[in-house]
Amino acid sequence: MTQAADHPQAQAGEMVIVKVGGSAGIDYDAVCADIAALWKAGQRLILVHGGSGETNRVAEALGHPPKFVTSPSGYTSRFTDRQTLEIFEMVYCGKVNKGIVERLQRLGVNAVGLSGLDGRIFEGRHKDSVRAVENGKVKVLRGDHTGTVEKVNTELIELLLNAGYLPVLTPPAASYEGVAINVDGDRAAAALAVALKADALLLLSNVPGLLRNFPDESSLIASIPANDVESYLEFAQDRMKKKVLGAAEAVQGGVRRVVFGDARAGLPVSAALGGAGTVVS
Amino acid sequence: MTQAADHPQAQAGEMVIVKVGGSAGIDYDAVCADIAALWKAGQRLILVHGGSGETNRVAEALGHPPKFVTSPSGYTSRFTDRQTLEIFEMVYCGKVNKGIVERLQRLGVNAVGLSGLDGRIFEGRHKDSVRAVENGKVKVLRGDHTGTVEKVNTELIELLLNAGYLPVLTPPAASYEGVAINVDGDRAAAALAVALKADALLLLSNVPGLLRNFPDESSLIASIPANDVESYLEFAQDRMKKKVLGAAEAVQGGVRRVVFGDARAGLPVSAALGGAGTVVS
């Protein structure tokens, strides 16, 4: 176990949180096969997933196209009115979550899929309004179902883990009043990693890691010092910004290692555990 | 507790399985408010739900309309190809399940929503083909994702109940190979009631109970002897047939009391516990 500090390979007994995004190109079959092999070898882990790309497709097909807003500080997020929330739940909690649970069950892993609403696994404040920049002006939009994870029900997760179940978690979260709120999956995974004192947090998406010159994949930033994560925000585009923010929150919360890895092929989880991608430590 | 035998009101400590359908007219707000009050008063219960009506609407909207087949023995069921299964999961596991969990969370009940795939709560054989009557001829249709619940993971359910969580369960189930299969919700609830040695199984839908002359609601059959349930199949139309079959399976499996009740208004669960509807005992 003394090797763990200098060799970025997780050891059996360590807890790893894997977050896999919902963008085009992500290979869920490869992710699940890798997770099943690691799980059977004794790795303790929890999977958190997204579903953004598929939510956009289903929302278009149902005649309620997605709406994204950009905050004055440059973060992009989905505007989640009630109808969007229901479509979001259909895709994240229905199609994507049960598709992953089914893949893992077929591979002999007894997975249990839950949203943050279930047992209030993810809990936070409901933000009903959002400040958005439109045509250079800041507007306030109301009727949003959004928020940030502030509390994690670690008891329920540990109950499942200790009974041999692999938790597969997804937004939405529950507000303190019990209302469903859309929360960022990367930051939810970071909050989970902090709450469980996880050894590693892997944020897997459809790029090789944080790129100095996006989208030039040869400009991969191989490592980021834990005490200086936020200064790398300038290299992050769009959705990568929340990953960098999540990484900063995780390492500030005591998680020893965060890796931005590639979920498009191969053994995405093992590769990230082995240090492929951008390692924050 | 000695009252329980002659007075059809469940007592604290007894286990009640409530199944609520997914047809038009069902008042989920009323069902959840009633369940929350009973739960807070100490009633042990589990909710199983459907989502058929909403699945039909979403399937139409997504351009993959539902297909129903009638077996040679007269049972109607959804033909569930892969695309239908994904829509089914979106509605049952996403929209309906999380909508119910959210209602219960808002009422202060720590609900946990799970499908039969999760932890293999409901398990059975995958039937890939179905015999269907079309234009008076029997045809065999392949590519079906369907089956019947044969095994229930009572350990996971009891783990949750004993930790204070109210389980909210829904199809699909898992095949023995881990594939998602569409199973009848009423019969899944009956299998659950038998496996947990439940005291009562309430099958709530959008009719007052079993009607002698459907749809004349004044022709309600108030009681059915437990040893003669199947002879009442002749009065059951369409979806009510599976409820009668589920009731027969439950009482044969040792469940003392099954009630077909009305979920359209009022206090649907308390009313059924109090004997409103058709009581099989």
Side-chain angles (χ1 to χ4, degrees):
Chain A
M1 296 297 281
T2 52
Q3 260 207 310
D6 46 50
H7 183 69
Q9 185 98 32
Q11 308 290 315
E14 292 198 341
M15 167 66 85
V16 175
I17 311 297
V18 181
K19 161 65 173 47
V20 59
S23 300
I26 286 175
D27 187 342
Y28 284 116
D29 287 333
V31 170
C32 289
D34 198 8
I35 282 178
L38 289 164
W39 179 260
K40 289 176 182 177
Q43 178 68 58
R44 277 162 63 87
L45 63 83
I46 295 171
L47 180 59
V48 181
H49 68 82
S52 190
E54 183 64 14
T55 297
N56 295 348
R57 276 189 291 279
V58 172
E60 292 279 0
L62 292 175
H64 191 72
K67 176 175 180 175
F68 289 92
V69 294
T70 303
S71 73
S73 47
Y75 289 93
T76 299
S77 61
R78 186 187 297 278
F79 184 75
T80 311
D81 60 15
R82 191 75 211 180
Q83 196 179 341
T84 299
L85 181 71
E86 289 180 356
I87 296 168
F88 180 98
E89 289 179 338
M90 287 204 292
V91 175
Y92 280 69
C93 310
K95 188 170 185 176
V96 180
N97 190 268
K98 298 320 166 199
I100 290 173
V101 169
E102 184 185 23
R103 282 180 182 88
L104 291 169
Q105 289 288 359
R106 291 183 73 165
L107 294 164
V109 174
N110 210 350
V112 169
L114 293 166
S115 78
L117 269 178
D118 300 297
R120 296 180 176 249
I121 284 179
F122 294 135
E123 211 173 3
R125 224 162 359 102
H126 176 189
K127 264 184 66 187
D128 176 72
S129 64
V130 62
R131 280 160 32 99
V133 181
E134 285 185 10
N135 303 322
K137 287 187 183 159
V138 177
K139 290 174 67 173
V140 175
L141 303 174
R142 299 194 186 280
D144 202 8
H145 284 82
T146 187
T148 305
V149 175
E150 295 163 355
K151 269 180 75 178
V152 177
N153 181 349
T154 54
E155 269 179 46
L156 176 53
I157 292 164
E158 282 168 354
L159 194 72
L160 293 169
L161 279 171
N162 293 338
Y165 299 102
L166 192 161
V168 180
L169 308 181
T170 182
S175 77
Y176 294 116
E177 297 78 29
V179 174
I181 51 174
N182 181 0
V183 293
D184 179 69
D186 293 307
R187 293 179 68 193
L192 178 69
V194 170
L196 288 173
K197 301 179 179 29
D199 302 279
L201 167 65
L202 313 180
L203 300 174
L204 309 182
S205 66
N206 60 352
V207 286
L210 185 60
L211 305 177
R212 194 168 289 271
N213 307 304
F214 180 84
D216 174 9
E217 299 198 356
S218 71
S219 70
L220 178 74
I221 296 168
S223 68
I224 295 176
N227 58 5
D228 192 30
V229 182
E230 268 142 344
S231 73
Y232 284 78
L233 263 173
E234 64 174 299
F235 303 114
Q237 310 292 318
D238 300 330
R239 300 175 61 80
M240 188 54 89
K241 285 195 185 192
K242 294 233 175 114
K243 290 185 202 298
V244 175
L245 203 60
E249 290 165 350
V251 294
Q252 279 156 22
V255 177
R256 279 192 295 117
R257 192 156 45 97
V258 180
V259 184
F260 303 126
D262 196 332
R264 289 175 297 181
L267 298 171
V269 180
S270 298
L273 274 177
T278 302
V279 179
V280 185
S281 66
Chain B
M1 297 297 280
T2 52
Q3 262 206 310
D6 46 51
H7 183 70
Q9 185 98 31
Q11 309 290 316
E14 292 198 341
M15 168 67 85
V16 175
I17 311 297
V18 180
K19 160 66 172 46
V20 59
S23 301
I26 286 174
D27 186 342
Y28 284 117
D29 288 332
V31 170
C32 289
D34 198 7
I35 282 178
L38 289 162
W39 178 261
K40 289 176 183 178
Q43 177 68 59
R44 278 162 63 87
L45 63 82
I46 295 170
L47 180 58
V48 182
H49 68 83
S52 191
E54 184 64 14
T55 297
N56 296 347
R57 276 189 291 280
V58 172
E60 291 280 359
L62 292 175
H64 191 72
K67 177 175 179 175
F68 289 92
V69 295
T70 302
S71 72
S73 47
Y75 289 92
T76 300
S77 61
R78 184 186 299 277
F79 184 75
T80 312
D81 60 16
R82 192 75 210 179
Q83 197 179 340
T84 299
L85 181 71
E86 289 180 356
I87 296 168
F88 180 99
E89 288 178 339
M90 287 205 292
V91 176
Y92 279 69
C93 310
K95 187 170 185 176
V96 180
N97 190 269
K98 298 320 167 201
I100 290 173
V101 169
E102 185 186 24
R103 281 181 182 89
L104 291 169
Q105 289 288 358
R106 292 182 71 165
L107 294 164
V109 175
N110 210 350
V112 170
L114 293 166
S115 78
L117 269 177
D118 300 299
R120 295 181 178 247
I121 284 179
F122 294 134
E123 211 174 5
R125 225 162 357 104
H126 176 190
K127 263 184 66 188
D128 175 72
S129 64
V130 62
R131 281 162 28 100
V133 181
E134 284 184 9
N135 303 321
K137 286 187 185 160
V138 177
K139 291 174 68 173
V140 175
L141 303 175
R142 300 194 186 279
D144 202 9
H145 288 264
T146 187
T148 304
V149 176
E150 295 164 354
K151 270 180 74 179
V152 176
N153 182 349
T154 55
E155 269 180 46
L156 176 53
I157 293 165
E158 282 168 353
L159 194 72
L160 293 169
L161 279 172
N162 292 339
Y165 299 102
L166 192 161
V168 179
L169 308 180
T170 182
S175 77
Y176 293 116
E177 296 79 28
V179 175
I181 52 174
N182 180 0
V183 293
D184 179 69
D186 293 307
R187 294 178 68 192
L192 177 70
V194 170
L196 288 173
K197 301 180 179 32
D199 301 280
L201 167 65
L202 314 180
L203 300 173
L204 309 182
S205 66
N206 61 352
V207 286
L210 185 61
L211 306 175
R212 193 168 291 272
N213 308 302
F214 180 85
D216 173 9
E217 298 197 357
S218 71
S219 70
L220 178 74
I221 297 168
S223 69
I224 295 177
N227 59 3
D228 192 30
V229 182
E230 269 143 344
S231 73
Y232 284 76
L233 264 174
E234 63 173 301
F235 303 114
Q237 310 291 318
D238 300 330
R239 299 175 63 80
M240 188 54 88
K241 286 194 185 191
K242 294 230 176 116
K243 290 185 201 301
V244 175
L245 203 61
E249 290 165 350
V251 294
Q252 279 156 23
V255 178
R256 280 192 295 116
R257 192 156 45 96
V258 181
V259 184
F260 303 127
D262 196 332
R264 289 174 297 181
L267 298 170
V269 180
S270 298
L273 275 176
T278 302
V279 179
V280 184
S281 65

